Amino acid sequence: MRIGIEIRHIQVGESGGIAPLLAGVLDRLFAANLEHEFVVYRSIFNRSLVESGAANVSTVVLPIAEPWRHLQDSIDRDPVDVLFRAFPTLDDLMFPVSRQVVLIPDLQHEQYPEFFSPNVLLARKRAFGGVLSGAGAIGMISEFARRSILASPDNACSDVFLMPPALRRDASADAGANDAASEITKTLAAIGPYFYYPANLWKHKNHLRVIEAFDLFRRQTGRNVSFVFTGHPEGWPDISKRFPHLPLHHLGFVSGRDQQAIYRAALATTFFSLYEGFGMPLLEAFAADCPVICSDTTSLPEVGGGAVLSCAPTDVSAMARLMGRITALPELRRSLVAAGRRRLERFSWDQSAAELMAAFTRVAGKNRPATGQQSPLVSIVTPSYDQAIFLRRTIESVLAQTYTNIEYIVMDGGSTDGSVEILKSYGDRVRWISERDRGQAHAINKGFALCSGQIRGYLNSDDTLLPDAIEKAVRFFADNPRYDMVYGDANYIDKEDRVTGKYNTADYTFARLMQDCCVCQPAAFWRDRVAAAVGPFDESLDIVMDYDYWLRIARAGGHIKHLPAVLANSRLYLETKTLSRREDVYAEIFEVCARHGGYVAPGYFYGLWEYRLRQRNVVVRNSLGRVTNLSSVMARAHQAWFYRRESRQRLKPAIRSFLRRIKRRLAGNYVTGVGADSWLAPRAVFATASIGKEATLFFAGSPACDGSVTVIAGGETLAQSHFRKGHKVAIEFPA
């Protein structure tokens, strides 16, 4: 079996406990399954996460720009049977979710939504929702987290298994061997007795209450004890300034070896978190013979068992009392240390790796058909008015679909050209209504109000579907439950059904959709859930109601995907509204783009003036239309007038930004030769006026190729080093 391992988002330190979990379980997974091939898809920032040199493991580095397209391209070139995802993400992968095994550490955003910004909360709900609704299997790190998934009303996955972490590789080393003269030993000796809290400053880590409890403990006991914190330091100044009277020390990120030294010298590890999917610091403390006091909630009782003292993380007095007990009773500390050592034996990387491999085997063997009696109902609505010349061809294209579970309704606007006779000729094969309406959008809305399908689409009465269009759309949605809308490619056809060109579709991004409508309407299908979210088509629009609808789906957070397959034929002839009413088309486009995107793409201004000067009027075309570049000049002038108010507002911050850059340059602060993805150019310059004279600087990394580096300052060579591909290098030099 060939298994993909996608870990792009995971970074040591910033990703919390997920990074050591993956490092441990993947190391054992690769070593224990030499008969299988593994492909690790990672970024340049997490090279150290997977360091296996085994012959059955290969690596693909995903770039900063368009990583998911590159991942899909890699899978297309070298297919995998199943794909492991280290965390739910919003992406544009075509690889079926039903063939993915996804790690979900917890559902914290459901219990504590207030801990997340609105954008992050929306992204998590969308990403997690897609996984819960269709993943092949879901890996959990504790029984508490597993029960949360199984109880979630959004979960439709029956294969939810456990793959808990064990002791980290660097935590299992003997930290007692630290040199007595090492920097961390000196730092800890200067601090004196201390409690230790290893956690990033995330809201659920409960730092403020923990420090309040520490303050109460000191006042009640009079003990001269300090508090040491490690992890990401972002936000620490705001916290520490609230407690200027307390001996608080934040050491930032530390190495695994240094962290074990901190554990060993601590009076106790405190871990009064509000929410945990597992609680890796408990195992690390157990391994370092450090007693633990922690929360009695979420996963921590499951991990700590009888080897910890616990209380409610919202009870400041109770936390202070535990701090007092653990410092006052040496025998209690010794008994907790012994219990922690025994507790460690319950957690095994080998067992978690075996559970993960078993999940790969189950998912790879699953077969999820997209057709048959259990297939979803698809609702197709055709709005029509006096289109008898094309109507039969449109209807026949729907009735000829290879997918049969279709609910088809034709909404006729009271035609008098023979359309009703055509509709009657189909008997009960086609459901139809003929009555006056308020326009195309009104007809579409009336039709969908009569429908009950899980998947929707509408087909104008002069367009046609290819025979397998709906089958392909249904199969896509079955394999990719996270997506709300899919659109395919389409041909342009003339009145006689001859192909005259290709619609300019493109892979979806919101920016690309704003550039021009890259979605061909008859080739688009969407779920009823997103239809409920965005509401009906806008009946005030006469022409671009479809473009408006796509933009509204995007703005509502809908997940949209381009399917590179021809699904439909869009009929283009002079009498269509698109060609016969160009001024109205552009007026509505300007309106919906400004409304939903906040701007109108330059191409629309240029297209409008190309039409006005070269197509609308023969006299104008033969006079002004011949002036070189006049369309471009008029488009730019129109654009400037359109944005006249916004331009004045944007000018002020632009000027301020420019002045700040000038100020930094004059102060000697600038950097050149470093890419957005942190790769260095052959020559890079770092300049700053804020480095102290006695400071020592360094840079480190894993080279992607053999080479050398020279550090020069003021014409003096400060350091030189040769390096080999894949071997870590760290270079120190004086400032």
Side-chain angles (χ1 to χ4, degrees):
M1 185 161 43
R2 194 165 192 267
I3 301 166
I5 307 290
E6 185 273 303
I7 58 171
R8 176 184 177 271
H9 279 306
I10 308 304
Q11 295 189 46
V12 175
E14 293 190 9
S15 298
I18 297 179
L21 164 66
L22 292 174
V25 76
L26 293 180
D27 180 64
R28 296 308 307 147
L29 177 74
F30 299 154
N33 296 278
L34 298 177
E35 70 278 18
H36 298 292
E37 181 181 356
F38 298 92
V39 184
V40 179
Y41 306 102
R42 61 168 178 80
S43 74
I44 64 170
F45 302 113
N46 55 13
R47 195 184 300 261
S48 63
L49 198 58
V50 177
E51 298 181 311
S52 175
N56 64 329
V57 181
S58 59
T59 299
V60 174
V61 179
L62 301 176
I64 300 298
E66 299 184 306
W68 307 123
R69 180 177 67 81
H70 286 275
L71 174 56
Q72 186 63 54
D73 289 347
S74 179
I75 293 175
D76 289 342
R77 287 191 303 269
D78 301 300
V80 296
D81 299 295
V82 63
L83 180 65
F84 173 76
R85 311 297 300 277
F87 196 79
T89 59
L90 292 174
D91 56 57
D92 295 320
L93 282 186
M94 293 287 291
F95 192 87
V97 178
S98 59
R99 290 169 55 196
Q100 296 182 25
V101 177
V102 186
L103 172 64
I104 296 184
D106 55 57
L107 291 180
Q108 184 190 152
H109 64 279
E110 297 291 348
Q111 185 168 345
Y112 290 103
E114 66 272 19
F115 289 169
F116 301 88
S117 69
N119 288 340
V120 172
L121 182 61
L122 176 61
R124 282 180 68 105
K125 286 186 174 181
R126 288 172 57 197
F128 280 58
V131 172
L132 294 175
S133 64
I138 297 174
M140 307 302 300
I141 57 178
S142 68
E143 182 59 33
F144 158 76
R146 181 175 178 272
R147 288 196 301 268
S148 300
I149 290 287
L150 294 175
S152 171
D154 298 325
N155 181 54
C157 179
S158 59
D159 192 344
V160 184
F161 66 97
L162 283 176
M163 48 175 291
L167 192 61
R168 287 192 331 188
R169 289 177 298 191
D170 54 3
S172 61
D174 183 11
N178 266 44
D179 189 338
S182 68
E183 288 300 320
I184 190 63
T185 302
K186 294 177 181 177
T187 299
L188 298 177
I191 291 173
Y194 61 88
F195 293 117
Y196 177 39
Y197 193 5
N200 291 334
L201 299 172
W202 296 327
K203 291 182 179 179
H204 71 279
K205 296 300 185 181
N206 203 31
H207 280 81
L208 290 178
R209 285 196 185 94
V210 172
I211 297 174
E212 289 172 2
F214 175 63
D215 188 13
L216 180 60
F217 153 77
R218 282 172 54 91
R219 286 187 280 109
Q220 289 178 338
T221 65
R223 291 182 178 273
N224 185 24
V225 176
S226 299
F227 215 133
V228 170
F229 303 87
T230 58
H232 201 301
E234 182 179 358
W236 178 248
D238 292 334
I239 292 177
S240 61
K241 70 182 181 183
R242 298 178 62 169
F243 305 95
H245 59 292
L246 294 178
L248 308 177
H249 307 270
H250 199 293
L251 306 184
F253 288 126
V254 295
S255 68
R257 189 176 183 85
D258 283 352
Q259 186 174 49
Q260 283 295 292
I262 299 172
Y263 277 121
R264 286 186 179 276
L267 290 171
T269 292
T270 66
F271 206 68
F272 293 110
S273 173
L274 295 173
Y275 190 101
E276 289 298 318
F278 184 79
M280 180 73 80
L282 271 62
L283 302 190
E284 295 168 349
F286 294 161
D289 294 335
C290 180
V292 175
I293 53 177
C294 66
S295 305
D296 63 358
T297 186
T298 61
S299 65
L300 296 181
E302 175 186 342
V303 177
V308 300
L309 297 182
S310 61
C311 68
T314 55
D315 190 335
V316 172
S317 296
M319 289 189 283
R321 286 195 295 272
L322 290 187
M323 293 178 187
R325 286 185 64 194
I326 204 73
T327 53
L329 302 172
E331 185 58 37
L332 174 62
R333 296 181 69 251
R334 285 192 291 271
S335 67
L336 290 176
V337 166
R341 278 290 178 182
R342 293 191 297 272
R343 192 73 182 170
L344 272 179
E345 299 174 0
R346 301 170 64 93
F347 302 93
S348 163
W349 289 123
D350 290 326
Q351 180 62 33
S352 294
E355 293 291 345
L356 180 57
M357 190 65 227
F360 291 153
T361 303
R362 292 192 300 271
V363 170
K366 288 181 180 179
N367 180 23
R368 293 178 48 142
T371 59
Q373 292 298 317
Q374 297 180 349
S375 298
L377 178 65
V378 179
S379 297
I380 304 295
V381 171
T382 289
S384 182
Y385 180 69
D386 282 348
Q387 290 277 42
I389 187 175
F390 304 122
L391 181 57
R392 189 177 295 278
R393 281 175 271 182
T394 297
I395 294 174
E396 291 293 339
S397 77
V398 177
L399 297 181
Q401 289 296 301
T402 57
Y403 186 87
T404 58
N405 195 15
I406 299 173
E407 175 184 50
Y408 184 40
I409 301 178
V410 178
M411 301 300 296
D412 182 76
S415 298
T416 58
D417 67 341
S419 294
V420 173
E421 286 69 26
I422 292 174
L423 292 169
K424 288 180 178 178
S425 71
Y426 284 96
D428 59 2
R429 297 174 64 200
V430 176
R431 183 182 177 188
W432 59 274
I433 296 174
S434 182
E435 61 185 19
R436 292 182 62 84
D437 55 46
R438 297 191 299 270
Q440 183 181 358
H442 181 224
I444 295 169
N445 289 336
K446 287 199 304 177
F448 281 130
L450 301 172
C451 293
S452 56
Q454 292 86 32
I455 298 172
R456 296 183 174 192
Y458 80 87
L459 185 67
N460 287 326
S461 53
D462 53 358
D463 297 333
T464 61
L465 294 174
L466 270 64
D468 60 351
I470 295 179
E471 180 180 354
K472 287 180 177 177
V474 171
R475 180 176 295 113
F476 173 86
F477 281 128
D479 288 339
N480 300 274
R482 73 180 65 186
Y483 286 100
D484 300 293
M485 173 178 160
V486 63
Y487 63 96
D489 295 331
N491 299 318
Y492 280 128
I493 58 174
D494 62 15
K495 289 183 177 181
E496 285 71 40
D497 298 337
R498 292 179 298 230
V499 175
T500 59
K502 296 287 187 182
Y503 190 99
N504 186 31
T505 52
D507 289 343
Y508 169 78
T509 65
F510 185 76
R512 180 62 183 84
L513 184 59
M514 286 290 293
Q515 180 181 329
D516 65 57
C517 187
C518 58
V519 178
C520 186
Q521 176 271 310
F525 301 88
W526 58 97
R527 296 184 188 272
D528 60 335
R529 70 189 184 201
V530 77
V534 303
F537 284 79
D538 188 344
E539 296 177 15
S540 70
L541 299 171
D542 190 36
I543 305 172
V544 303
M545 72 288 294
D546 56 335
Y547 190 22
D548 170 78
Y549 202 69
W550 316 148
L551 291 170
R552 285 161 57 196
I553 288 176
R555 277 309 192 202
H559 211 179
I560 302 173
K561 182 66 179 178
H562 171 229
L563 182 65
V566 178
L567 302 184
N569 296 310
S570 178
R571 202 177 301 276
L572 196 61
Y573 52 99
L574 291 177
E575 293 84 358
T576 59
K577 289 188 290 186
T578 302
L579 292 183
S580 64
R581 297 172 56 188
R582 299 299 290 166
E583 283 281 348
D584 294 336
V585 169
Y586 280 110
E588 290 193 357
I589 286 175
F590 277 44
E591 177 188 344
V592 301
C593 286
R595 183 194 310 163
H596 301 303
Y599 69 96
V600 179
Y604 285 130
F605 291 96
Y606 181 80
L608 173 60
W609 284 97
E610 272 288 292
Y611 165 72
R612 287 175 172 176
L613 295 175
R614 300 181 187 276
Q615 300 173 29
R616 182 173 64 178
N617 186 285
V618 175
V619 175
V620 174
R621 183 179 65 219
N622 292 334
S623 54
L624 294 177
R626 295 182 177 181
V627 178
T628 304
N629 295 328
L630 183 59
S631 297
S632 297
V633 172
M634 295 303 296
R636 287 195 293 270
H638 187 176
Q639 193 173 8
W641 176 256
F642 188 84
Y643 291 121
R644 60 193 183 279
R645 294 178 181 174
E646 291 85 350
S647 297
R648 287 196 295 269
Q649 294 299 320
R650 288 197 297 264
L651 187 59
K652 294 178 181 179
I655 292 174
R656 288 195 294 267
S657 177
F658 174 74
L659 293 175
R660 283 196 298 268
R661 290 198 300 270
I662 294 296
K663 181 179 179 181
R664 286 197 298 267
R665 190 62 183 253
L666 292 175
N669 300 302
Y670 62 96
V671 176
T672 61
V674 181
D677 56 3
S678 296
W679 285 88
L680 287 179
R683 182 177 186 272
V685 176
F686 304 82
T688 178
S690 60
I691 297 178
K693 292 183 179 181
E694 303 302 322
T696 298
L697 304 180
F698 80 95
F699 68 87
S702 297
C705 60
D706 294 345
S708 62
V709 63
T710 302
V711 181
I712 301 173
E716 179 185 355
T717 298
L718 302 181
Q720 283 185 307
S721 178
H722 296 278
F723 48 77
R724 294 173 56 196
K725 175 181 177 180
H727 289 68
K728 292 183 179 180
V729 61
I731 302 171
E732 292 189 0
F733 48 92

